[in-house]
Amino acid sequence: MHTDRPAHRLPRRTLTASAAATAAALCLLAAAPAPALATAHATGTTAPTAATAAQASAGAAVKTAAGAAGIRPASEAGVDHQALQRSLQAFHDAGMYGAYSAARDGADEWQGAAGVADIGTGRLTTPLMRHRIGSITKTFTAVAVLQEVGKGRIALDAPIARYLPDLVPGERGQAITVRMLLNHTSGIGEYTDKIFTTTDSLETNRLRRFDPEELARLGLTAPPLSAPGQAHHYSNTNFILAGLLLRKVTGQAPEAYITENVIRRAGLKMTFFTQSPVILAPHALMYEAAYGEFDPPREYSVYNMSWGGTAGALVSTMPDLNRFYRALLSGQLLAPAQLAQMKTTVPIPGSTARYGLGLLRMSLPCGEFWGHNGLVLGAMTWSLSSPDGRRQVSVGFNLTRYQKLDANNRPMPSPIDTALDTHITQALCATPSTGTGAGTSPGTGTGQLLAQPHLG
């Protein structure tokens, strides 16, 4: 474990630079792209041979079940099952505690796991573990809003004051449109800066229940990030407001609406909002390193996610995420006009990626991919799909902000990130990344994406 503390760190009980990155950005990382991501702390646990064998057995069981369902073996399609399991194991061997992944190419599907769900007991990860998916929730919320657009109940370019005049009144409410909330060009500030102000606040808020109006007002009273419509500035407040908009026009709790009209319609069986701080299904423990501030990393799997709400509170599995994005991109959840609006993008400052309405677009050497990522304390997720939903990967892992920071408080390159880059590129492009793993140069695989702002 890396224990030395850079000179720029402040005392632990004040808001240090690294703790600020953790406390104030639980659903999103800094808006500027990280130039690389870091030398691995000696925090990874290499699973013993028996553990690796057990997880290989789990992957084999998934493959056998797929074969029984008529799914083609890897030799007949683009998914190389063995290569994906090797690259996921390499991700663990590089220092990641535990990970689970699902990839597919048309009918051919692979699911796998590597490493441990609990570093104390050595309990293994499994492919179907439930996982907090953070801001991937935003895609679900955006789909729900766009469904109401299709019904004529919401107008994308109407001012938000038409629907929420008490929350966003006056000139500001007239200037900010529904579209600006969904593509993060509203300029509204970030509420997480107000509720996670110190490292201690990460603990005091663990079981606290937040009301969405409270979160929205905190974000609306924060300093604006820009004038409305000026530029993309990622803010969780936008999607808390989107949830309140859904509640206003449908008369339902937004979580209930999303469950009925998005989750069930997509055929998802293991995706849900939960009122409990405990994930009541098989899951990994969630370890937050806070860029070395927490030594050893702290465990955060028990947490009241009302602070994330319609911006970041969903739990899912990797196969469910693939199923969701496939349903979305194939037109099962939205009419063509609304899906086209969702895929109308704006530039992300400092990034080659672009952002639609709750949807990220990324170009890799093998083509264009759509999806999102998610980051909460101790859990991160990537989910990416080709435009037709045929080629997909979703991967979740249970150790976050494991990197070291440089003198400017920016994460430095890490073998863990290189290994993740390789796994994602293997899944999407049927070949390992040719880059350095952290995206220090364009066109080198998903490293280019991993170097972009983590949308959280």
Side-chain angles (χ1 to χ4, degrees):
M1 174 66 67
H2 188 82
T3 55
D4 58 312
R5 188 174 302 229
H8 65 272
R9 301 279 182 92
L10 300 177
R12 184 175 289 266
R13 286 195 174 272
T14 63
L15 187 60
T16 69
S18 62
T22 305
L26 296 178
C27 260
L28 71 158
L29 292 182
L37 299 174
T39 299
H41 290 299
T43 52
T45 334
T46 301
T49 303
T52 305
Q55 284 160 328
S57 258
V62 169
K63 184 174 177 182
T64 300
I71 294 175
R72 295 172 295 170
S75 60
E76 297 176 17
V79 176
D80 186 333
H81 297 239
Q82 292 183 350
L84 285 169
Q85 186 61 49
R86 284 195 302 269
S87 63
L88 191 64
Q89 182 64 38
F91 180 40
H92 167 59
D93 292 342
M96 178 50 57
Y97 284 165
Y100 15 87
S101 179
R104 66 182 298 131
D105 184 6
D108 188 32
E109 181 176 14
W110 168 87
Q111 298 170 21
V116 293
D118 184 334
I119 61 172
T121 66
R123 176 170 59 93
L124 300 178
T125 55
T126 60
L128 293 179
M129 282 189 153
R130 279 53 160 192
H131 187 73
R132 297 198 191 279
I133 61 172
S135 276
I136 294 177
T137 305
K138 291 180 172 67
T139 309
F140 288 76
T141 300
V143 168
V145 171
L146 286 165
Q147 287 175 343
E148 291 301 298
V149 170
K151 296 173 185 176
R153 295 176 181 169
I154 297 173
L156 268 179
D157 294 308
I160 190 60
R162 176 185 298 180
Y163 308 101
L164 300 173
D166 295 335
L167 266 179
V168 198
E171 291 184 9
R172 192 182 196 189
Q174 293 298 323
I176 294 171
T177 66
V178 174
R179 184 188 303 273
M180 291 176 194
L181 297 180
L182 299 183
N183 67 13
H184 295 290
T185 60
S186 70
I188 295 171
E190 177 58 59
Y191 67 82
T192 59
D193 296 350
K194 302 289 189 71
I195 62 175
F196 298 109
T197 55
T198 66
T199 53
D200 285 347
S201 69
L202 302 179
E203 291 299 329
T204 56
N205 286 324
R206 186 185 281 265
L207 300 179
R208 180 179 172 184
R209 174 160 294 282
F210 288 94
D211 183 82
E213 285 93 343
E214 176 189 5
L215 299 175
R217 293 185 192 282
L218 287 172
L220 288 162
T221 57
L225 301 172
S226 70
Q230 185 178 69
H232 173 96
H233 292 285
Y234 195 88
S235 172
N236 289 294
T237 311
N238 289 314
F239 275 77
I240 294 297
L241 286 166
L244 292 170
L245 169 63
L246 274 174
R247 188 175 72 181
K248 182 65 177 287
V249 300
T250 68
Q252 290 182 264
E255 295 85 356
Y257 182 94
I258 293 166
T259 297
E260 180 181 349
N261 294 281
V262 182
I263 294 172
R264 290 179 182 165
R265 187 167 168 182
L268 311 186
K269 305 298 185 185
M270 302 180 190
T271 300
F272 53 90
F273 290 98
T274 177
Q275 297 296 314
S276 170
V278 178
I279 302 174
L280 300 174
H283 64 279
L285 300 189
M286 298 161 50
Y287 299 95
E288 175 60 56
Y291 302 119
E293 185 74 15
F294 298 159
D295 182 6
R298 297 181 187 175
E299 202 282 303
Y300 285 101
S301 60
V302 176
Y303 217 96
N304 187 315
M305 288 301 297
S306 60
W307 70 266
T310 50
L314 271 175
V315 173
S316 190
T317 64
M318 301 308 105
D320 254 18
L321 288 181
N322 285 347
R323 192 172 295 112
F324 166 65
Y325 279 107
R326 190 163 62 256
L328 171 61
L329 294 169
S330 64
Q332 296 178 41
L333 302 180
L334 292 174
Q338 280 70 58
L339 184 57
Q341 292 286 352
M342 192 176 204
K343 296 173 78 172
T344 301
T345 61
V346 296
I348 299 175
S351 168
T352 57
R354 296 179 65 90
Y355 200 86
L357 306 183
L359 196 62
L360 177 73
R361 190 187 81 188
M362 179 65 201
S363 294
L364 299 182
C366 60
E368 177 184 278
F369 293 88
W370 295 88
H372 214 284
N373 62 20
L375 174 68
V376 297
L377 286 168
M380 189 163 183
T381 317
W382 281 95
S383 188
L384 294 168
S385 298
S386 59
D388 60 0
R390 178 181 178 88
R391 191 89 192 187
Q392 298 183 287
V393 68
S394 294
V395 57
F397 47 96
N398 69 339
L399 173 65
T400 54
R401 284 168 280 231
Y402 45 78
Q403 300 94 347
K404 288 174 60 179
L405 297 177
D406 64 17
N408 295 314
N409 294 319
R410 294 168 73 86
M412 297 189 297
S414 166
I416 297 178
D417 301 298
T418 303
L420 178 59
D421 179 4
T422 298
H423 179 71
I424 292 175
T425 311
Q426 176 74 58
L428 295 178
C429 300
T431 181
S433 169
T434 57
T436 59
T440 54
S441 61
T444 56
T446 54
Q448 185 180 359
L449 185 144
L450 294 175
Q452 305 301 337
H454 290 176
L455 304 179

